[in-house]
């Protein structure tokens, strides 16, 4: 990997915006991200939060991995522990894989803080599946979150407001986001 995450995000964001024929102003209005913030991100000077990246991805009709991921370089890819593109915030995530078929599925190793992350709905048809590997977590649609422990699994619609919050200390899991 030769590009820094900021450089990769900048290039991916610009390419996605231009492919959709959107100006910076139009994407700022559509995503709710400030024009100055968007300009800085596209210039590789930004340090966007995961919420900002999701807002941009959703406004572009794209997946988070489309913004943060690297293009596949070989047929066999290994992501070693501690490597891979990371995004930080109340939820810190590491992109593990992207699987295409009839749908796009993105695999993330995720670390959850005790600060709740209230996520806006993703585009229609997105589902999220999570396997908790350590700690305890409150997760799911805001209207019906579940409390999970190690080994517990949940699948829920990601196209409704939802939340993630570790209970009693940090938690970790593997998240799969499936896009239509």
């Amino acid at each position: 990997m030769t590009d820094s995450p900021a450089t990769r995000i900048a290039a991916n964001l610009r390419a996605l915006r231009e492919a959709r024929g959107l100006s910076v102003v139009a994407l700022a209005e559509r995503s709710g991200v400030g024009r100055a913030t968007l300009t800085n991100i596209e210039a590789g000077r930004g340090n966007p939060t995961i919420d900002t990246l999701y807002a941009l991805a959703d406004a572009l009709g794209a997946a988070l991995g489309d913004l943060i991921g690297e293009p596949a370089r070989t047929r066999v890819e290994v992501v070693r522990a501690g490597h891979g593109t990371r995004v930080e915030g109340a939820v810190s995530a590491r992109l593990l894989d992207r699987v295409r078929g009839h749908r796009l599925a993105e695999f993330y190793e995720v670390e959850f803080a005790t600060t709740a992350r209230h996520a806006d709905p993703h585009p229609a048809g997105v589902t999220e599946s999570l396997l908790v590997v350590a700690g305890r977590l409150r997760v799911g649609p805001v209207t019906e979150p579940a409390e999970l422990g190690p080994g517990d699994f949940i699948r829920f619609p990601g196209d409704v407001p939802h939340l993630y919050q570790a209970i009693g200390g940090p938690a970790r899991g593997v998240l799969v986001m499936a896009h239509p």
Side-chain angles (χ1 to χ4, degrees):
M1 174 172 73
T2 58
D3 292 342
S4 72
T7 302
R8 189 171 43 259
I9 290 168
N12 291 343
L13 176 58
R14 190 176 317 101
L16 288 165
R17 180 180 58 74
E18 290 173 353
R20 286 154 179 77
L22 294 172
S23 68
V24 169
V25 172
L27 180 56
E29 289 173 359
R30 187 182 282 189
S31 67
V33 173
R35 186 172 57 101
T37 300
L38 184 53
T39 300
N40 281 333
I41 295 169
E42 279 199 10
R45 293 187 304 263
N47 185 19
T49 66
I50 193 167
D51 292 324
T52 297
L53 292 172
Y54 270 123
L56 291 169
D58 290 349
L60 290 164
L64 177 64
D66 292 331
L67 287 176
I68 68 173
E70 292 184 72
R73 300 189 196 283
T74 64
R75 291 186 60 217
V76 176
E77 293 187 50
V78 175
V79 179
R80 300 284 182 202
H83 293 256
T85 304
R86 293 189 61 84
V87 290
E88 305 286 334
V91 172
S92 299
R94 177 172 65 111
L95 179 63
L96 298 174
D97 194 12
R98 302 180 76 212
V99 177
R100 295 191 184 267
H102 296 289
R103 298 171 57 106
L104 166 67
E106 297 180 313
F107 294 75
Y108 293 92
E109 175 184 37
V110 185
E111 298 170 11
F112 301 95
T114 54
T115 303
R117 176 177 188 272
H118 292 269
D120 291 328
H122 299 296
V126 170
T127 59
E128 297 191 24
S129 302
L130 174 74
L131 173 65
V132 178
V133 296
R136 299 202 52 75
L137 191 64
R138 182 176 297 109
V139 61
V142 170
T143 58
E144 53 183 315
E147 289 192 13
L148 306 175
D152 292 342
F153 172 84
I154 186 172
R155 180 181 320 112
F156 62 90
D159 56 4
V160 299
H162 51 285
L163 69 90
Y164 292 96
Q165 183 177 18
I167 302 168
R172 291 183 313 125
V174 175
L175 175 71
V176 178
M177 290 189 62
H179 301 263

